Amino acid sequence: MRKLIATGAFLLPLLAAPAAIAPALAEGGHGPALLPAKFSFEGPFGTYDRGAAQRGYQIYKDVCAACHSMSLLSYRNLMDLGLSEAAVKGIAADVQVQDVNDKGEQIERPGKPSDHFKKPFPNDAAAAAANGGAAPPDLSLIIKARPDGARYVFSLLQGYVEFDKLSDQEKAAYGLAKDYKVEDGKHFNKYFHPGEQGYKIGMAPPLADGAVTYIDGTKNDLPTMARDVVTFLAWAAEPKMEDRKRTGVRVILFMLIFAGLMYAVKRKVWADAH
């Protein structure tokens, strides 16, 4: 029996070797499983890492804002991330926004903290025309708009693969037909929802090691940048999350204390009956 167990233990890595080449499939077999990641804002006591969120905003500003809007945010909201009022005023003043003067004339003026984030395109038609026919999505609620949104975006940013370098076995593991190809203007991303697109995404790889130089000197490799921008996007999608969680904890503590008091009162009132 011991020999059989030892033989099985020896053969197990050999039997599992082909699976190491194929991507680990997500539950249900729809594309590879998302990259494992833990974020500071998860769980009942989770909070936003302000430093990561500030770096994530820097990535959005320097990279993402060229194509993606965040129409639900105003510049003054950045003070909730720990930025000073003077810094926010400077950030807003760096952009020119459309406005109307006292005469009803269209003008451009420096932005104010009360202004919403400036959109990269005047309308959806212009955005689509500049991006191969598909307007880039607004990122204000992107973390909430996708299942397991934080890990999805974290994985997507790191999921670009050079299709020509995939082996036949890897292509088969992704469920790709023999005549499958990636057209010009499209990119292969192993985490992009397969569907009709079949891993084809119009967005070019937005990040790479060293793509953004952090102001605070933090290491700027791809996994770190992906985590930081996800933290910022998670905050943007639910900026009052920490208040909600603190309120929830207080309510639970109150209910526990109240239940204890009610139990004590019940014992006192019914003590003579026993």
Side-chain angles (χ1 to χ4, degrees), residues 49-132:
D49 181 336
R50 292 299 194 275
Q54 289 180 19
R55 294 192 297 271
Y57 169 70
Q58 183 183 346
I59 293 173
Y60 169 76
K61 178 175 175 288
D62 293 348
V63 179
C64 311
C67 296
H68 295 276
S69 60
M70 293 195 77
S71 59
L72 298 184
L73 283 184
S74 298
Y75 292 107
R76 62 186 174 192
N77 297 137
L78 294 174
M79 287 189 282
D80 292 339
L81 290 183
L83 298 181
S84 67
E85 183 178 356
V88 171
K89 286 182 177 179
I91 291 172
D94 283 340
V95 301
Q96 294 292 312
V97 299
Q98 295 285 339
D99 204 346
V100 179
N101 63 15
D102 295 337
K103 298 179 181 180
E105 300 169 336
Q106 289 285 341
I107 61 170
E108 281 194 345
R109 60 165 175 79
K112 301 176 182 178
S114 58
D115 290 323
H116 287 275
F117 280 19
K118 184 178 180 180
K119 295 182 179 181
F121 303 100
N123 51 61
D124 289 342
N131 290 275

Side-chain angles (χ1 to χ4, degrees), residues 163 166 168 170-180 188 198-199:
F163 179 72
L166 290 177
D168 291 339
E170 288 174 316
K171 292 178 182 178
Y174 285 117
L176 305 179
K178 291 183 178 180
D179 59 348
Y180 179 94
F188 188 87
Y199 304 103

